[in-house]
Structures are given as C-alpha cells and as structure tokens.
C-alpha cells in the first residue's frame, strides 16, 4: 500500500480515515452486541485457516472464467475470494460478520451449527460462495475442499446452507444459477432475481435472529463484492480518485441493479465518492437504506469523539492487515481500509485496547504497525507482479499465518500486547530476511598513492523494493562516504531517539599501513575487517525500517557520484571514542539532574552500561584469544617445519616417515588454527566490537532523550519566569508591558507543550528502538555464535580426520 | 586435569628386569625443594633387603649423574641424562599474584583461576617426578651402570647423602671445562673417523641434536600458545557467564549456554595442550638431553681416538728416536685399549639408543594421536 500511496498519496488518507471512522462506528455497535461472541470467535481463528488456503488454491482456475463475465480480469476473482477470508481471519476476534466466513468454513466442515449466529454465518458463507460462483462454471471443487471432503455440487452446498437459513440459501441458489448459467447480458434478470432473493434472505435472517444481525450479515457479502472496485483500481494502476468511477461503471454494466445493492454498502462505508452515490443512490436506499442508516448513525452517537489515536491505530491495523495480505494475494492495501467496514468490530477492539493504554504505549503500537505496513507493503507490489495469478494459492498460505499473528494482538489483553508484538516483529523480521534488501560491500581497492590514498569499496544492493530504480545496482564508495552517511543520519534521526547504527571507527594506524602499501597480512586483515564491518553497518541501516526510508540512504546506495563527505575527521579514531565517552558522561550527569520518572529507562540505562562494560571486557579477551591463536598457528607452523627437518635427520626410515607425516599434520593444524583465528575475529570479536559501538549509539539515543527533557524543563522554567514577570507587572500596573509579556507567555506555553510532546515522542521512539535493538541483538548474537560454534565443531572434525590418518603411520614405526 | 597413566611418562622403553626395579613412589614438595621417595625392589645380593625406600632430593640425583660422567669406566656408555631441576617458580609466582589480585575479581573468577593454577602446579610436579624416575629407571636397566656402587648407595643408604650443590668455584670450573670440551669437541670432530659407522653416527647425531633442540623449542612455544589460548577461552567463558547472569532474558540464557560450551572447549583445549606437552614436548626434550649424552659419548670416543692416534705417533717417534719406546708403547696400548673399549660399547650403546628412541617415539606418537582423537571427539 505504501507504493500506491506513494504514487497517489492524497486521496487515500482521507478515505481511509473516513472508513475507519465508519467502521468503528459499526464496530462499536457490533462489538457491544457481540461481547460474548468475541471470545468464541477467537477460537476459530486458527481452524479457519486451512479452509482458507484451500479456497485459495481453487482460485486460479476460477479466475479464468471470470474474464468472460467481467471486465476486471482474473484478479478480480482472486481478490474478492481471498479478501473475505483474509479479512475474516484477521478480524474474527470480535465480529460475527467478519468472523463468519472463516467461521462458517470451520463450521461447515464440522457441521453447521444451529444458533442464530450461525445462521448469519451461513449467509456469509453463501456470500462467499456467491463471489466464487459468479465466475465459476464448476465451483464444486472449492466447495468440496471447504466442506471437508463432501463432494457436492454447488447446489448441494447451498442446500447445506439451507439447513440453517432457507431463505438465504434460496437467494443464493438463485444467484448461483443465474450467474453461472446466464451470460453477462442476461445478468439483469439474474440480478433481479437476486435482489429478491437477497430481500428474502434478509427477511429470513431477521426472522431467525434480530434485525441488526441480519443487516450485519448482509453487509459482508456486499463488502466482499465491493472488492471488485478497489481491485480494478489497483490493477489498472489508476489513481484512487479515478478508480472510484471505473469500478462503479464496471459493476453497473455487470450487475445493474444487483450492483447497486452491492455497492451501496461499500460506498456508504467509504463515505466518500459522491459520484457513486449519485449513480447508485436509489438502489442503496431501497435495499439497505434502513440497516445502513442504523449502523452508521448508531456508532456515530456512540463514538462521537473520534479520538485521533485510536482511529489511527485502527487504520494502521487495518493497513497492516492489508499489506500483509497484499504481499501474497496481490491485493491493494486500501481494500483493507475499506474492508475495515466489515472488520470494524475487530478494529474497534484493537483501538479500544490502544486507547486503554497510556499515550506512550498506543503511540508505540501504532508506530510499529505502521512500520510493518510500510515494510511489507513495499514488498508486495513486486510480489504481485512476479507471482501473478498462479502464484496466489501458494503465497496465501504464509499470509494466513501472518493474519493469525495479526489477529492475536487484536484480541490480546494489554499485557499480552507486548509479547504479541514481539512475535509479530519476529515474523516481520523473518519476512524481512526473506524479501528484503541485501547489501554487499566488496572489492576494497586502494585509490591514489601516498598519504592521499584511500580505499574504495563496491557497494552492491540487491532488492526487490520498488523504491529503488533497479533490482541490482552497484556504486563505489570510499570510507569517508560511509562516515558521512552516518553523520547525516545521526544528525537527522538521532535527536528523534533513533539508534543509528555506527560505522567502524577510523583507524589512522591501520589506514596508514595500507597507505604506505605494506602488503603484509596485518594490513590485509585490517582491510578485510573493515570491509566486513562496513557491510554489516549498511545492512543494519537498511534493515532499520525508518532509516531505509531516508533519502540519504537511498542516495548513498543508488547515486553514481556522491558529493564528497566533509568533516568526517571528527569521527576519526580516538575522536570517535571521545565522543562516545562525552555522551556517556553527559548522560550520567543528566541522570543525576533528571529525576527519572521512568523506571524502565533507568533500568535500561544501567543494563546498557553494564552490558557495555562486559562487552568491552569480552572483546579484549576475544582479541587476546585471536592473538594467541595466531601465535599458536605460527608456532605450529614452525614446529611443523622443525618436525619435518627432524624427520629428514632421522635415520630410521619408518620413524622418519612418521615424523614427516606428523609435520604434515601439524601443517594442517596450523591452517586450522589460522582459520579458527579468523573465525574468532569475524564471527565473534567483530560482533562484539559492533555491539560496543551500537551500545554507544544506544546511549546516544538516551542522551537525546535527556536533551529533549532538558529543553522541556528549560522551557517550563522560562514560562514560570514570564508568569512571575506578569504578576509583577500586574502589581505594578503597567498595562503596556503586560500585553507583551502575555504574548510571550502564550508563546512559551506553546513551546512547553511542543517540547513536552517532543520529549514524549523521543521517549517513545527510544523505547521502541531499544526494544528493537534488544531483539536484533539477541537474534544477531544467537545466529553469529551458533555460526561460530559450528565453525569450531567443524575444525574439531577436521582435526579428528587428520589425526586418524596419522595414527596408522605412528603405529607403523617399527 | 586429565588422569594420565600416572606420572610414569616413560620416554624410554626399558626392558623390565625383575632383579632390580626402581620407582619413585612418592614425592613431597616443600618450599624450595622436592623430596622424592625412591622405592627399590631387588633380588640382587648386594642389597640388604629385597624392598626398601629412601628419600632423595634433586641434588642427589645430579650427584649420581655426575659420578657416572666422571667415571672413566663409563666413558664408553651413554650416561642417562640428568633430570632437569624442578621449577615451580613460575607457577608459584602466578599463585602469589593471584593472591594479591584476589580483591579485584569476582569470587567465581578467583576460584576458577586458583583451580587452574593448582592444576598447572600439579602437572609440573608430576612431570618433575616422572623425569627423575626415568633417570633412575634408565640406570637400573643399564647392564653396567646398574652395578655401580654409587647407584646402590643412592638407592639404599637411608641417610642424607650430604651432597651439597656445587659452589661458585666449582661451577666456574665446570664452565671452563665445558668451554674446553666444546672447543676440543670442534677440534676432534674435524678428525675423519676410520669407522664408517661412527662417522655416520657422528654426523647424524650432530644434526639430530640440533633438530631436536629446535623442535623441542618450537613445540614448547606451540604448547605455550595453546595454553594461552585455552586460558583465554577460559576467561571468555567466565566473562560470558557474567553476561549471562545479568538478568534472565532469553539472550542471557543463551550466553550461559555458550559459556558452558566455552568452558568445555577450554577443558578440551587445555587437555590437548597438556597431552602434547607430555607426549611430544617431553619426548623431544628427553631426546634432546639423550642425544646430548650420545654426543658426549661420541666426543669421548673421538677424544680417545685422537689420543690413540697421538699415542701411535708418539710411539713412532719414540721408535724412531728409540727412546722411551716402552713407555710410549704402554700408553699407545692403553689408548688403543681405551678406544677400542669405548668403540665397542659405544656401538652397542648407540644402537640401543636408536632402538630406544624409535620405540619411545612410536609409543608417544601413537598415544598423542590417540589422545588428540579422544579430545577432539569429546567436542
């Protein structure tokens, strides 16, 4: 969705917001009603998944006939079908409507239940069926799947549905028949039929349950049908505004009256597009005017505030669902926001959860979701294009899991929210790993001579992300460019509390060696270390969802020529360390001043500091291990030589042979030790070094938080002073100056609120960043250390091999 | 820490002879000296009892060795090399440093370090004992030296032998003797040997000695760096442990696990180092000394040869001048006899030396390979 919104950003936010509001309203009512049902529905989240995937698999064939019937081609079919499922899976927790489709799949497999709820569900099921059936000539297959092995023709399914809701079934049946058999031209009759059927269906439902339920039940089908438009829009890639017209026309052509029915809802919920209304206004009113009116009005009354935070959260949630879905089902994200209508209840709940949490928390949540959407949606269009129709089924499987994971936080209680978030993030990260950008820094090359020489590296980016012009591109960057990037990023994002991954330090000694042109192992080692460190540095940046969006990052990766970075000298060697130390000092000083109200930060800071100490210690140790291992390798080599000489001096043939064999073994051991030293260095020492640097950045972000706090406090003090002045002036009765002071007070008041907000924002960001950092850290360490240990194990196995080969030689000494 | 097959790291393959068996049954480390309990089992008639033990110190071993070297009778034999002086200084120093630094480290670290040092100390101690034992065993297994009176006294006399260490003057004398000897050795070495066997042995031993010296030094260094690496791993393990105990997050548990793994690795690495030390470095060191002893033998033979040749010349001269012919003849006879005697025994000694060496190398290398495998497979 991000891509689409990038292309045409303005129209969406509005409509989305609207939708959200509407949907919330609807949801408000529904969730009120279904409070009890919500919990039960949750149970269905998982079971519903398999049927969904099954449905998906049948989609591709279905899509082809759809071409004949409808203008919007194959995708149409996929989308509507998938959509309901996915949306349903996501939204299940609360609403019947939403949960229905998923539920009824479950239910259907298990046997249809008898409760009124189920009735509604079955209606929905029918709706879902309808959508599939319209294009399908032989839909029996999907239904077989859905119903768990019951090989029944579409009609039979309908019959099953009939068990619970006869009227609805009849309606559907008619629909099915008409759709399947009639060519597009004849649709009119069919649709008329449907209209009637629908009416009867609603009636019957009303009979069975209550009005609201029925109306709700009615909605989802509409919503699902409604997907036609957005899909069309997105497929055609036209701007959203234009889209609104296109789909509507298409529907008009196809469904005529029925189209009206279908689109009334979407439009209403969308609460946008007057054109549509004008087109279909009549039909809407006829059929659904009542229920809709009820739904829309009621919620409005209930939630007149329209709190910005919750709605935002809701929107983000829905968006998140969207992009996730998109990634696999090739559906535009916006459908989801529109879908929010159907998903209302669930969204409502999440938003409620969010609103319950304190300010910091809710913001955090939304941000995280927002990020998720951004990341994932970035991937989706690419996927879409790549996979196309046939890929849909396979891709839909992961989406289900994603959907379920999404569903969790929605239903989760406040405490659980954090945990789920983590899970989510992990999944998110997994996906990141799979699809995301990969960067390599290669071919360090010395450019120039003498002290003006510098190293240039090839930075190759491979990514499917559409924000880049190509999928693979390479640029040449020199070390100071990397530092320059860091400077820019930390300047921009540091004050906001972001943890900007730091580059490796400048090393005057190491670089001088390289410059002088000594081709010894230590300078090669230095270059390789730095190259690897730069690679990890860039990878950390691009894996940071916010930093990846930074234009400077993109420029760094993409642009041929980069303006020469200046002022990177400040970062050189000791200077960098000094800077970190200074930051540390400042932080510790400020902590004393600032009576930390947030225990979390207090603890974290301590944690970071002790971790820093430990890492430093560990780093020294590992470095010394590396030194000793290298020494060992060297000594083993010379011993091997000596042994070889001893072997040649030995006059007993067998012993001489054995000794030279031993020499060979020792030679191999030398290689092993060498490799091990490299392993120590790159898998372990460098990792720790990275984290020492990163911890510096973490402290930096704490520092920035302190600064924000300081600014806020200062502003408050200033405001206090102004107020005192005001009081004095009042006392002295100097109205001329009083006016000025009053203006100043107003000014400072604004500033104070501004700074306070800034502080809150920075605090939230830092928190989030630290959580992310910790997560990354754990992941990183586990991966790297396991890697390291595997290397260790391997070398031990090598060693076994060598000595095993040697043993018979030793035994052969006579 | 590995239970090696006792301290009896025998670097020489000796035929066990029931008539005289010597071992060091116990050893006691006192401040700056080690007291070895030498245990003898013998059926030889010159001993009063069949089984007895005496307490001996390093200096007494040296005395015994020197008495062999100085005995002209044994000029034709490879005198078993004297055991090296016990050296616990480095280990003691470390222990002391540890005691001083006790306050600056955590309790776990301290206990760990202490254990390490104690293990190291024990290893050195065992090695020292083994070296002294090997010396005695070699003597006891030697067909001629085992009958030496001094040796019997050493084994049986249950009082202090009141050998004192050499004083400064004696040491200086020794030094001069050595200088003269090596200068003479160079001189004598230049003389072409009449016997191909000895000529060959001479060149071989010269080279072999150098090689073995080199290899021994290198192996020492290799093992030292191996030990250092093991120590580092040990410290990393404890550092990781501290990291792991900071709180109870997932990562910390992971750190604890890794720390355990490192601890295991450390154990294996230090065992490998210890075994290499025992099987390889000690072997090389022993043959460094043994080859020196063999070289000394060759020197003595060469010296005797030169003496013999000189005596021959002197005899020729005397005959030509017809003066002191008898005296010259006697001395020529003596030199000839001496040379022949040395040559005869030396030949056998050198052959034995080779057999011993090959057997010892075989044994140790096989053991080394097996131990390496064992350790590597533990991982």
């Amino acid at each position: 969705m991000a891509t689409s919104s990038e292309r045409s950003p303005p129209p969406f936010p509005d409509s989305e917001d609207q939708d959200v509001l509407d949907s919330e309203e609807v949801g408000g009512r529904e969730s009120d009603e279904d409070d009890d049902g919500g919990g039960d529905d949750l149970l269905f989240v998982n079971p519903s998944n398999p049927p969904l995937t099954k449905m998906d698999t049948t989609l591709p064939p279905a899509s082809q006939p759809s071409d004949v019937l409808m203008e919007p081609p194959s995708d149409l079919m996929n989308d509507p079908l998938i959509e309901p499922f996915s949306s349903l899976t996501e939204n299940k927790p609360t609403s019947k409507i939403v949960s229905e489709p998923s539920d009824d799949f479950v239910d259907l497999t298990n046997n249809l239940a008898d409760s009124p709820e189920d009735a509604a569900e079955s209606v929905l099921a029918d709706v879902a069926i309808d959508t599939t059936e319209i294009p399908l000539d032989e839909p029996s297959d999907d239904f077989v799947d859905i119903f768990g092995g019951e090989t029944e023709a579409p009609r039979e399914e309908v019959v099953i549905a009939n068990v619970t809701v006869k009227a609805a079934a009849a309606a559907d049946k008619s629909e099915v028949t008409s759709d399947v058999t009639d060519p597009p031209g004849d649709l009119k009759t069919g649709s008329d039929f449907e209209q009637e059927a629908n009416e009867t269906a609603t009636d019957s439902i009303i009979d069975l349950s209550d009005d609201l339920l029925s109306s709700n039940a009615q909605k989802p089908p509409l919503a699902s049908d409604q997907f036609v438009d957005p899909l069309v829009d997105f497929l055609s890639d036209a701007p959203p505004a234009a889209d609104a017209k296109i789909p509507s026309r298409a529907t008009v052509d196809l469904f005529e009256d029925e189209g009206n029915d279908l689109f009334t809802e979407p439009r209403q919920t969308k609460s946008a597009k007057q054109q549509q209304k004008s087109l279909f206004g009549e039909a809407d009113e006829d059929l659904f005017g009542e229920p809709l009116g009820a739904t829309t009005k009621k919620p409005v009354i209930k939630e007149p505030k329209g709190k910005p935070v919750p709605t935002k959260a809701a929107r983000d949630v829905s968006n998140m669902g969207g992009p996730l879905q998109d990634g696999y089902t090739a559906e535009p994200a916006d459908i989801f926001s529109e879908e929010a209508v159907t998903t209302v209840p669930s969204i409502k709940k999440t938003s409620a959860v969010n609103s319950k949490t304190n300010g910091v928390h809710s913001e955090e949540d939304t941000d995280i979701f927002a990020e998720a959407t951004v990341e994932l949606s970035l991937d989706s269009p690419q996927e879409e294009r790549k996979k196309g129709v046939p890929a849909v089924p396979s891709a839909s499987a992961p989406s289900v899991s994603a959907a379920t994971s999404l569903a969790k936080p929605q239903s989760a209680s406040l405490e659980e929210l954090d945990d789920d978030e983590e899970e989510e993030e992990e999944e998110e990260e997994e996906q990141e790993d799979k699809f995301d950008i990969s960067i390599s820094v290669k071919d360090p090359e010395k450019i120039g001579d003498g002290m003006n020489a510098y190293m240039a590296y090839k930075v190759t980016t491979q990514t499917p992300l559409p924000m880049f012009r190509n999928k693979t591109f390479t640029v040449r960057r020199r070390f100071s460019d990397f530092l320059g990037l860091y400077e820019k990023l930390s300047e921009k994002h540091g004050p906001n509390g972001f943890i900007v991954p730091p580059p490796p330090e400048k090393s005057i000694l190491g670089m001088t060696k390289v410059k002088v042109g000594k081709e010894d192992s230590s300078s090669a080692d230095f270059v390789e270390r730095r190259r690897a460190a730069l690679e990890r540095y860039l990878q950390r940046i691009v894996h940071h969802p916010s930093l990846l969006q930074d234009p400077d990052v993109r420029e760094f990766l993409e642009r041929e020529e980069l303006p020469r970075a200046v002022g990177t000298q400040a970062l050189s060697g000791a200077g960098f360390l000094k800077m970190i130390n200074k930051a540390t000092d400042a932080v510790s000083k400020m902590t004393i001043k600032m009576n930390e109200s947030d225990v979390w930060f207090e603890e974290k800071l301590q944690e970071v500091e002790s971790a820093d100490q430990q890492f430093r210690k560990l780093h020294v140790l590992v470095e010394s291990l590396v030194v000793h291992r290298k020494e060992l390798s060297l000594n083993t080599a010379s011993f091997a030589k000596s042994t070889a000489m001893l072997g040649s001096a030995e006059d007993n043939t067998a012993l001489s042979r054995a000794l030279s064999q031993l020499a060979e073994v020792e030679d191999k051991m030398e290689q092993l030790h060498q490799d091990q030293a490299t392993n120590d260095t790159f898998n372990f020492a460098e990792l720790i070094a990275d984290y020492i640097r990163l911890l510096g950045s973490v402290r930096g972000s704490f520092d920035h938080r302190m600064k924000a706090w300081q600014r806020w406090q200062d502003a408050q003090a200033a405001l206090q002073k102004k107020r005192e002045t005001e009081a004095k002036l009042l006392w002295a009765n100097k109205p001329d100056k009083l006016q000025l002071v009053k203006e100043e007070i107003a000014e400072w008041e604004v500033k104070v609120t501004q700074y306070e907000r800034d502080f809150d924002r920075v605090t939230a960001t830092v928190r989030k960043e630290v959580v992310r950092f910790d997560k990354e850290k754990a992941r990183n360490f586990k991966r790297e250390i396991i890697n390291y240990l595997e290397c260790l194990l391997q070398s031990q196995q090598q060693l076994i091999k060598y000595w095993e080969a040697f043993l018979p030689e030793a035994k052969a000494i006579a | 820490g590995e239970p090696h097959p006792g301290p009896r790291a025998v670097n020489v393959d000796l035929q066990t002879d029931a008539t005289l068996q010597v071992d060091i049954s116990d050893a006691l480390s006192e401040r700056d000296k080690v007291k070895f309990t030498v245990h003898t089992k013998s059926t030889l008639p010159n001993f009063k009892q069949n089984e007895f033990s005496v307490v001996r110190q390093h200096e007494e071993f040296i005395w015994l060795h020197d008495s062999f070297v100085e005995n002209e009778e044994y000029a034709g034999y490879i005198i078993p090399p004297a055991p090296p002086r016990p050296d616990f200084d480095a280990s003691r120093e470390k222990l002391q440093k540890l005691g001083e630094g006790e306050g600056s480290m955590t309790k776990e670290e301290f206990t760990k370090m202490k254990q390490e040092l104690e293990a190291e100390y024990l290893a050195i101690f065992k090695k020292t004992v083994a070296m002294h034992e090997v010396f005695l065993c070699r003597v006891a297994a030697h067909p001629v030296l085992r009958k030496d009176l001094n040796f019997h006294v050493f084994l049986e006399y249950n009082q202090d032998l009141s050998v004192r260490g050499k004083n400064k003057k004696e040491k200086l004398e020794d030094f001069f003797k050595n200088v003269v000897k090596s200068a003479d050795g160079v001189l004598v070495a230049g003389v072409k040997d009449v016997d191909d066997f000895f000529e060959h042995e001479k060149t071989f031993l010269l080279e072999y000695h150098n090689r073995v010296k080199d290899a021994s030094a290198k192996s020492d260094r290799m093992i030292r760096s191996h030990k250092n690496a093991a120590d580092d791993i040990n410290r990393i393990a404890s550092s990781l442990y501290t990291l792991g105990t900071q709180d109870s997050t997932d990562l910390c548990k992971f750190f604890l696990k890794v720390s355990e793994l490192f601890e295991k690795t450390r154990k294996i690495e230090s065992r490998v180092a210890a075994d290499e030390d025992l099987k390889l470095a000690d072997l090389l060191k022993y043959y460094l000394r043994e080859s020196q002893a063999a070289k000394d033998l060759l020197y003595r033979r060469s010296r005797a040869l030169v003496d013999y040749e000189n005596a021959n010349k002197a005899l020729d001269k005397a005959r030509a001048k017809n003066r002191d012919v008898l005296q010259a003849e006697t001395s020529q006879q003596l030199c000839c006899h001496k040379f022949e005697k040395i040559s005869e025994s030396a030949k056998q000694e050198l052959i034995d030396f080779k057999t011993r060496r090959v057997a010892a190398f075989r044994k140790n290398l096989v053991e080394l390979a097996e131990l390496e495998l064992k350790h590597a497979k533990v991982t």
Side-chain angles (χ1 to χ4, degrees), chain A residues 154-170:
Chain A
R155 267 170 220 209
E156 279 165 316
E157 296 146 29
V158 177
V159 170
I160 292 163
N162 286 346
V163 175
T164 43
V165 193
K166 282 173 204 162

Side-chain angles (χ1 to χ4, degrees), chain A residues 418-433:
Chain A
D418 280 343
D419 294 23
D420 288 342
E421 243 170 59
E422 282 166 24
E423 272 173 49
E424 238 169 77
E425 271 183 352
E426 254 156 51
E427 254 173 75
E428 196 182 295
E429 278 160 2
E430 274 165 38
Q431 285 174 352
E432 231 174 79
D433 285 348

Side-chain angles (χ1 to χ4, degrees), chain A residues 607 610-611 614-615 617-618 621-622 624-626 628-629 631-633 635-636 638-639 641-643 645-646 648-652 655 658-659 662 666 669 673 684 774 777-779 781-783 785-786 788-789 792-793 796-797 799-804 806-807 810-814, chain B residues 106 109 200-201 204 207-208 211-212 214-216 218-219 221-226 228-230 232-233 235-240 242-243 246-247 249-251 254-255 258 261-262 265 268-269 276 280 284 354 357-359 361-362 365-370 372-373 375-377 379:
Chain A
E607 207 181 295
S610 77
Q614 292 295 332
F615 278 142
K617 201 172 150 195
L618 194 59
L621 288 174
V622 177
S624 116
L625 175 64
V626 170
H628 281 134
R629 263 229 243 255
E631 222 175 83
L632 174 60
S633 163
N635 288 334
T636 309
S638 63
F639 175 66
K641 240 179 245 158
S642 291
T643 313
M645 296 295 268
L646 184 65
S648 69
E650 177 61 58
D651 58 358
N652 179 296
L655 181 54
L659 283 175
L662 179 65
E666 294 293 346
M669 298 277 280
H673 290 315
F684 205 20
D774 281 346
K777 188 172 93 177
R779 233 162 46 94
F781 264 95
K782 279 184 189 172
R783 199 179 50 210
I785 290 181
I786 284 167
Y788 173 74
L789 293 175
L792 263 181
L793 211 68
Q796 285 295 324
Q797 272 157 0
L799 200 130
I800 289 173
K801 236 172 70 190
Y802 295 150
W803 282 109
E804 260 170 1
F806 175 70
L807 193 56
K811 280 183 175 157
I813 303 171
Chain B
T106 65
E109 280 175 323
H200 170 79
E201 281 300 311
F204 162 70
E207 195 190 344
Y208 189 80
R211 296 281 177 247
V212 114
D214 182 47
S216 169
K218 296 285 162 57
S219 74
R221 269 163 61 185
M222 178 177 82
I223 288 155
R224 207 181 314 127
S225 43
H226 211 141
N228 282 339
D232 287 333
I233 293 174
R235 262 174 267 141
I236 289 169
S238 55
S239 185
L240 278 171
T242 343
L243 255 179
Q246 298 228 310
D247 56 77
T249 59
D250 222 24
L251 185 62
F254 180 69
F255 275 140
V258 175
L261 274 172
F262 267 97
T265 321
I268 288 156
E269 289 289 335
E276 277 174 353
L280 203 60
L284 290 171
K354 189 184 281 179
R357 189 181 71 226
V358 169
F361 267 91
R362 178 182 190 274
L365 290 182
V366 168
E367 278 174 7
L368 174 68
E370 278 167 352
E372 294 269 4
L373 283 176
H375 295 322
K377 276 172 182 164
T379 346

Side-chain angles (χ1 to χ4, degrees), chain A residues 65-66 68-70 77 126-139 154-155 158 170-195 197-198 225 253-256 258-259 262:
Chain A
S66 72
V68 182
L69 292 165
M70 294 179 208
M77 258 332 280
D126 293 341
V127 170
I129 291 161
D130 292 349
T131 47
T132 50
E133 280 176 11
I134 295 164
L136 274 175
D137 290 323
E138 287 189 354
R155 267 170 220 209
V158 177
D172 291 339
K173 205 174 169 184
S174 64
E175 223 185 280
V176 171
T177 47
S178 64
D179 288 335
V180 174
T181 51
D182 295 350
D186 294 358
L187 256 176
K188 209 177 176 182
T189 51
S191 60
D192 288 344
F193 213 88
E194 263 180 84
Q195 259 187 359
N198 280 343
D225 287 353
D253 294 338
L254 285 164
F255 303 108
E256 299 249 290
E258 193 211 337
L262 296 169

Side-chain angles (χ1 to χ4, degrees), chain B residues 11-243:
Chain B
N11 289 316
V12 280
D13 196 33
L14 299 163
Q15 302 88 353
T16 39
D17 183 351
T19 55
L20 180 61
Q21 285 174 320
V22 184
D23 65 89
I24 292 176
S25 58
D26 195 14
L28 205 79
S29 172
E30 284 177 6
R31 289 190 59 78
D32 53 349
K33 57 189 166 192
V34 181
K35 287 183 170 172
F36 303 94
T37 306
V38 179
H39 171 247
T40 312
K41 249 169 120 178
S42 172
T43 53
L44 292 178
N46 19 6
F47 294 115
K48 284 179 206 121
Q49 287 159 297
N50 282 348
E51 197 172 343
F52 45 88
S53 291
V54 289
V55 174
R56 292 282 171 261
Q57 288 182 31
H58 174 72
E59 283 72 24
E60 290 166 317
F61 283 82
I62 299 300
W63 165 80
L64 183 61
H65 175 260
D66 288 351
S67 80
F68 290 146
V69 172
E70 279 154 21
N71 193 334
E72 281 287 315
E73 284 296 306
Y74 303 142
Y77 306 109
I78 296 173
I79 311 295
R85 222 179 77 77
D87 183 14
F88 299 114
D89 293 352
S91 180
R92 275 215 193 87
E93 209 175 289
K94 272 195 209 165
L95 212 62
Q96 207 177 344
K97 251 190 211 160
L98 181 73
E100 284 162 8
E102 191 178 346
S104 65
M105 52 183 110
T106 65
K107 209 174 174 185
E108 290 93 24
E109 280 175 323
F110 180 75
T111 353
K112 218 171 187 180
M113 290 281 275
K114 207 178 154 196
Q115 277 171 359
E116 287 296 304
L117 282 178
E118 276 166 0
E120 191 185 311
Y121 185 82
L122 196 69
I124 298 174
F125 186 74
K126 276 180 177 174
K127 245 165 79 170
T128 311
V129 171
M131 302 256 211
H132 285 77
E133 193 180 58
V134 165
F135 171 69
L136 293 183
C137 289
R138 277 268 282 122
V139 174
H142 196 278
V144 177
L145 296 179
R146 69 191 297 189
K147 292 177 190 131
D148 182 77
L149 189 66
N150 281 336
F151 181 49
H152 288 192
V153 169
F154 177 91
L155 292 180
E156 201 176 26
Y157 186 63
N158 62 358
Q159 301 287 307
D160 194 344
L161 290 176
S162 68
V163 233
R164 50 178 178 82
K166 287 175 177 171
N167 61 30
K168 266 185 188 165
K169 200 186 153 201
E170 280 167 328
K171 274 184 187 164
L172 206 68
E173 274 171 13
D174 273 3
F175 175 73
F176 277 120
K177 246 193 237 166
N178 270 328
V179 171
V180 171
K181 195 180 114 188
S182 48
D184 196 36
V186 174
L187 217 91
V188 166
V191 180
K192 176 96 174 92
D193 206 299
V194 284
D195 192 323
D196 278 349
F197 173 80
F198 284 108
E199 185 61 29
H200 170 79
E201 281 300 311
K202 200 165 73 185
T203 40
F204 162 70
L205 270 177
L206 263 176
E207 195 190 344
Y208 189 80
H209 180 70
N210 288 337
R211 296 281 177 247
V212 114
K213 198 176 181 175
D214 182 47
S216 169
K218 296 285 162 57
S219 74
D220 265 358
R221 269 163 61 185
M222 178 177 82
I223 288 155
R224 207 181 314 127
S225 43
H226 211 141
K227 276 181 182 158
N228 282 339
D231 282 353
D232 287 333
I233 293 174
N234 187 24
R235 262 174 267 141
I236 289 169
S238 55
S239 185
L240 278 171
Y241 181 81
T242 343
L243 255 179

